[in-house]
Amino acid sequence: MLFSRLLPRFTPALLALFIVACGGGGSESSDSASTESSTSTASSIQGKVVKGVVKNATVTAFRVESGLVGSVLTSTTTNSEGQYNLRFSNYEGPVYIEVTPIGNSTQMVCDAASGCGEFIGLTDLDSNNNGLIDFGESFQVPADFILTAALPNSTSASNVNVSTLTHLAAQLATSYPQGINDVSISVAQSQLENLFQITDLANAPLVDLSNPTAVANSTDNALRHALISSSLLGLTNEVAFAQVLEQLVQQFQTNAGQLVTQDSSSNIPTLLDLTEEAQRTAQLLNLSGLAAALAQEASALLNSASGTLTNSQPSPTAGGSNAAVIAAFMDDLSLWQGYLSLSPNDTSFAQIVSAIGVSTGADLAQLLKAVSIAGQFGPVVALPDAALSAACDSLGNYFARLTCRVLISGKSLEEICNGTLNLVIFGRSLCDLLNDITLPLGNGLTGNFALYDGVARIYGTTEGVDLDITFTSSSNRQSSYGFSISGTAESEIGFLEITDGSFQLEFDGGLDIRNLKLPETASGTLSVAYQQDINTVDAPTSFVGDLSIALDLSGVTELDDEQELPYAGLETIELRMTADGTFESFGGDRFEGSIDLNGGIDSDIVLQFETDLPDYSDRAVITLTSTPSLLAEGQLQDIQMEWAGKRYDIMYFYAPYRGVRITNQDGVIMDLDLSVEDGDNAGYLLLEGTSYGNVTPLNGSVLFTLSNGEEFVL
């Protein structure tokens, strides 16, 4: 059925159809814009001009350049049968053909059953002297007469016929957003073919309906083309034909390649008018099969609501191989609608971003840095024998310190605790004393060391983090010290509980137990539970899972206690962190995935998760990247989406303009500058340097206008 009530301007099924390419980019694709060959080539185009037959008219061929009709290639004239032959060289690309009259000498044969108007005065052309331009009679065309056709490529076909229908197709192609070129010509011709139910619009033979022999030897497809092409003149006259055709063209372009089905009040011919006139001509020629088919179509059109439009679509393959690529891109874009935002100010995958919280990554990083700073004291229990003298020096009075030094002299911790001697200081076992030493460590931290058990508990507040971390020695290899770790760390934003984990500290050049220093690097894998404070964070987040961390602390130095800040160079810390587990927001948004930090405290945060496609047909891996400052506003920097062999790469821009670039696995690029005003051009849909549509902002949404002028909104 050719018509329906006026529907929304776009459906996903149309995406594969509405494509148009413009020149540029140097593409070598067969779907790209025209280029002039550097090698001398000869081309020949021949055909017929029939509405009916147009005799002694000028036929001019033009280059198509950058979406516009360009310079003249060559011209010729039609003969008495409406035939023409054009020859030119040194050009390969789309060709635009225009037929115009030569003074008063150009004539056309009337091929409409209702006739073609009236003769002015006496003329030999009026064969029955009734003053009317009857079917089969020739008449002089007016000075404003024009018909056109277009060829996608000068080498793709040698036969191009010109009719009312090829004129509609050529003018539709010129109205597409990117102008006229090989793809827009193909799409427009396909649109006309499907609208009028014919095939091979430009190349199929055209029939002189006034020639009985030609009619008898023609196919139904050629006859249908000729009947519909002839019908327009039957609805007007020889004087008004050009004006009525122009009105029809303008309406056709405005309606994106659709006709009004029926409207008795319209001065512009509708599809019903054209069909009924074609039916009358078919009856005149005794073409009973075609007349019956046209009558059936007219009956259906009569039942349509007045003023409704047809809903014809071009063929999905009309634009060549690039058509399918563009269609797939747009299908995918529509698939992710509601999840993927085209505006950088609106959060893509908003529930996921909500679930990680705006400060989750940064706060975890801050907590882990504090844990690593506390870790500098872990080696006290990793080197217990080296720590004995320091332990004695920590005792409260001179006599205790002196006694301790005497008792440990020449002995190891193992001998002290498990030897035959029962060493006692002031009634307390020396081993117990050395296994329970509490020392102020400076910079807000206190340590409790169990030298024999190999356990160090570090607690206090440093760098705005309340710590209570227990390090248990597990390995000691020269300058590398390993620990198991558990405990808690709390900032103003969140509370981190380390239930289990391993921690490795590296000290370049070894470690002096009497002059402890920060490790150069710290790394580990921790099992944690993390919860943000509802009184501090508007949308608190929780996390349960594993943290993998690696910190470079080589640029950090500890300052004296008298200094306002305990450490210098904290901004130089390089951190790599992956949090892999379950994230959940206070509102209940939840996902399984991971976030990554790689760099300093202000480095990019990377979030990766797996999710169902919106249509549940497959699973997709989504990777979101943002800075802490952008994430605090719910904004993202980059998105990578991979599913079913497909991939989207999305980059958002915030300054100097606000926009987005999306590319896919096939090389399709969509660049949008959304800082422009509503209705202004925001960008293009590109493939191999060729534009396939333009995009404009519209009331907070984005309006896509593709090849044939059809529109849709995301």
Side-chain angles (χ1 to χ4, degrees):
M1 202 165 195
L2 291 177
F3 57 90
S4 68
R5 293 190 178 274
L6 185 57
L7 298 172
R9 302 296 300 276
F10 170 80
T11 61
L14 306 182
L15 288 169
L17 317 175
F18 305 154
I19 55 175
V20 54
C22 70
S27 171
E28 295 179 359
S29 167
S30 60
D31 296 313
S32 66
S34 65
T35 57
E36 190 166 336
S37 174
S38 60
T39 304
S40 178
T41 57
S43 298
S44 176
I45 299 175
Q46 58 273 339
K48 293 182 69 175
V49 182
V50 178
K51 206 257 62 62
V53 171
V54 179
K55 313 171 189 177
N56 196 37
T58 297
V59 182
T60 306
F62 297 85
R63 291 178 172 84
V64 172
E65 301 168 326
S66 301
L68 300 173
V69 177
S71 58
V72 172
L73 286 166
T74 187
S75 63
T76 187
T77 58
T78 59
N79 62 18
S80 60
E81 303 297 324
Q83 299 167 333
Y84 72 90
N85 194 322
L86 294 166
R87 296 182 182 276
F88 53 89
S89 60
N90 296 329
Y91 177 76
E92 294 181 4
V95 178
Y96 181 84
I97 296 172
E98 186 175 86
V99 179
T100 53
I102 303 174
N104 297 324
S105 63
T106 300
Q107 297 179 1
M108 181 165 63
V109 176
C110 178
D111 58 357
S114 299
C116 300
E118 300 178 354
F119 288 111
I120 300 176
L122 298 175
T123 174
D124 292 338
L125 298 176
D126 187 4
S127 58
N128 58 6
N129 295 318
N130 66 351
L132 301 176
I133 304 174
D134 298 313
F135 181 88
E137 291 183 329
S138 297
F139 62 94
Q140 178 182 318
V141 301
D144 57 358
F145 173 86
I146 186 172
L147 287 178
T148 60
L151 178 65
N153 194 289
S154 59
T155 62
S156 63
S158 59
N159 190 78
V160 179
N161 295 308
V162 185
S163 69
T164 307
L165 302 190
T166 68
H167 181 75
L168 286 174
Q171 299 313 302
L172 179 60
T174 64
S175 72
Y176 288 163
Q178 313 313 322
I180 182 170
N181 55 35
D182 54 348
V183 179
S184 64
I185 292 168
S186 297
V187 172
Q189 289 178 351
S190 177
Q191 170 80 357
L192 266 291
E193 289 169 354
N194 293 338
L195 177 61
F196 291 111
Q197 303 177 53
I198 59 176
T199 60
D200 203 10
L201 176 69
N203 306 126
L206 283 180
V207 183
D208 177 4
L209 294 177
S210 67
N211 184 331
T213 302
V215 170
N217 293 328
S218 292
T219 64
D220 281 354
N221 180 68
L223 288 169
R224 183 179 177 88
H225 184 160
L227 289 168
I228 296 173
S229 180
S230 72
S231 61
L232 184 62
L233 191 52
L235 298 172
T236 178
N237 57 56
E238 83 289 0
V239 175
F241 171 77
Q243 291 92 333
V244 174
L245 178 58
E246 178 59 22
Q247 290 174 343
L248 182 61
V249 164
Q250 291 180 4
Q251 185 188 69
F252 195 56
Q253 292 173 331
T254 299
N255 293 332
Q258 305 298 338
L259 291 176
V260 176
T261 56
Q262 63 96 3
D263 185 351
S264 59
S265 64
S266 175
N267 294 323
I268 301 173
T270 65
L271 182 57
L272 174 61
D273 298 329
L274 298 174
T275 302
E276 288 179 335
E277 180 60 28
Q279 177 195 353
R280 284 190 286 270
T281 304
Q283 291 171 333
L284 176 69
L285 299 175
N286 295 317
L287 301 173
S288 56
L290 283 169
L294 290 165
Q296 186 175 8
E297 293 167 22
S299 177
L301 290 165
L302 276 170
N303 291 326
S304 67
S306 178
T308 57
L309 299 180
T310 58
N311 63 351
S312 173
Q313 313 298 333
S315 167
T317 60
S321 61
N322 279 2
V325 173
I326 295 297
F329 178 89
M330 298 306 298
D331 283 342
D332 293 336
L333 195 61
S334 297
L335 172 67
W336 288 105
Q337 186 174 6
Y339 295 81
L340 176 64
S341 171
L342 297 180
S343 171
N345 290 343
D346 298 324
T347 307
S348 294
F349 300 98
Q351 289 183 324
I352 302 301
V353 172
S354 170
I356 69 168
V358 298
S359 57
T360 302
D363 189 44
L364 281 173
Q366 186 68 23
L367 292 170
L368 291 173
K369 287 177 181 178
V371 171
S372 298
I373 289 172
Q376 68 179 299
F377 302 104
V380 170
V381 294
L383 297 169
D385 290 336
L388 289 177
S389 295
C392 288
D393 291 342
S394 70
L395 297 179
N397 62 68
Y398 172 78
F399 292 106
R401 291 194 295 271
L402 180 61
T403 303
C404 181
R405 291 193 196 103
V406 171
L407 293 176
I408 69 171
S409 178
K411 301 178 182 65
S412 68
L413 185 62
E414 179 66 23
E415 291 172 328
I416 293 170
C417 291
N418 292 328
T420 58
L421 299 175
N422 184 19
L423 303 177
V424 177
I425 297 179
F426 301 139
R428 185 180 182 190
S429 165
L430 179 59
C431 183
D432 290 345
L433 187 66
L434 296 175
N435 212 36
D436 185 15
I437 299 173
T438 299
L439 298 173
L441 303 176
N443 295 324
L445 295 177
T446 300
N448 179 262
F449 301 95
L451 295 184
Y452 183 72
D453 293 337
V455 177
R457 176 187 169 218
I458 311 300
Y459 55 93
T461 301
T462 186
E463 292 300 308
V465 175
D466 295 333
L467 291 172
D468 191 345
I469 303 294
T470 298
F471 297 89
T472 302
S473 179
S474 60
S475 66
N476 175 4
R477 295 188 302 275
Q478 294 181 343
S479 60
S480 178
Y481 303 89
F483 303 89
S484 61
I485 183 174
S486 61
T488 62
E490 185 174 8
S491 69
E492 290 184 357
I493 293 176
F495 178 82
L496 175 70
E497 180 182 8
I498 303 172
T499 57
D500 187 25
S502 61
F503 212 57
Q504 196 77 20
L505 303 177
E506 302 284 344
F507 295 86
D508 288 351
L511 185 64
D512 182 357
I513 200 68
R514 293 181 176 275
N515 187 22
L516 292 175
K517 64 176 184 176
L518 287 169
E520 272 66 36
T521 64
S523 60
T525 301
L526 315 176
S527 296
V528 306
Y530 171 75
Q531 178 65 60
Q532 292 182 335
D533 185 355
I534 190 172
N535 296 315
T536 306
V537 181
D538 291 336
T541 293
S542 66
F543 166 74
V544 177
D546 295 326
L547 291 178
S548 297
I549 62 170
L551 296 99
D552 181 352
L553 302 163
S554 59
V556 181
T557 57
E558 187 173 5
L559 302 176
D560 296 334
D561 285 344
E562 291 77 14
Q563 300 291 327
E564 183 178 350
L565 298 174
Y567 299 97
L570 289 173
E571 73 281 355
T572 68
I573 293 178
E574 291 293 319
L575 167 70
R576 296 193 304 278
M577 181 193 78
T578 299
D580 191 354
T582 301
F583 296 81
E584 186 170 2
S585 72
F586 183 73
D589 294 326
R590 178 175 178 159
F591 84 100
E592 300 281 342
S594 65
I595 62 173
D596 288 274
L597 283 174
N598 191 350
I601 192 69
D602 293 323
S603 64
D604 287 352
I605 297 173
V606 179
L607 163 67
Q608 186 175 82
F609 59 95
E610 187 173 316
T611 185
D612 287 319
L613 296 187
D615 62 3
Y616 298 99
S617 63
D618 208 328
R619 299 279 287 174
V621 176
I622 311 297
T623 304
L624 311 178
T625 303
S626 189
T627 65
S629 59
L630 286 176
L631 198 58
E633 302 296 328
Q635 297 172 344
L636 301 173
Q637 200 169 41
D638 302 303
I639 302 176
Q640 183 183 99
M641 305 164 59
E642 295 181 285
W643 75 99
K646 299 180 179 182
R647 174 167 168 160
Y648 264 15
D649 288 291
I650 300 115
M651 293 186 294
Y652 291 109
F653 304 97
Y654 297 89
Y657 65 89
R658 178 175 58 87
V660 63
R661 164 176 279 202
I662 300 179
T663 61
N664 78 345
Q665 72 284 345
D666 296 319
V668 178
I669 301 173
M670 185 179 71
D671 271 328
L672 301 182
D673 176 4
L674 298 176
S675 59
V676 302
E677 298 294 328
D678 276 10
D680 291 344
N681 185 46
Y684 298 94
L685 198 62
L686 303 169
L687 178 59
E688 297 178 346
T690 297
S691 179
Y692 284 79
N694 65 343
V695 190
T696 56
L698 180 65
N699 298 326
S701 299
V702 178
L703 172 67
F704 287 77
T705 305
L706 298 182
S707 62
N708 69 345
E710 290 291 328
E711 300 170 345
F712 70 99
V713 176
L714 290 179

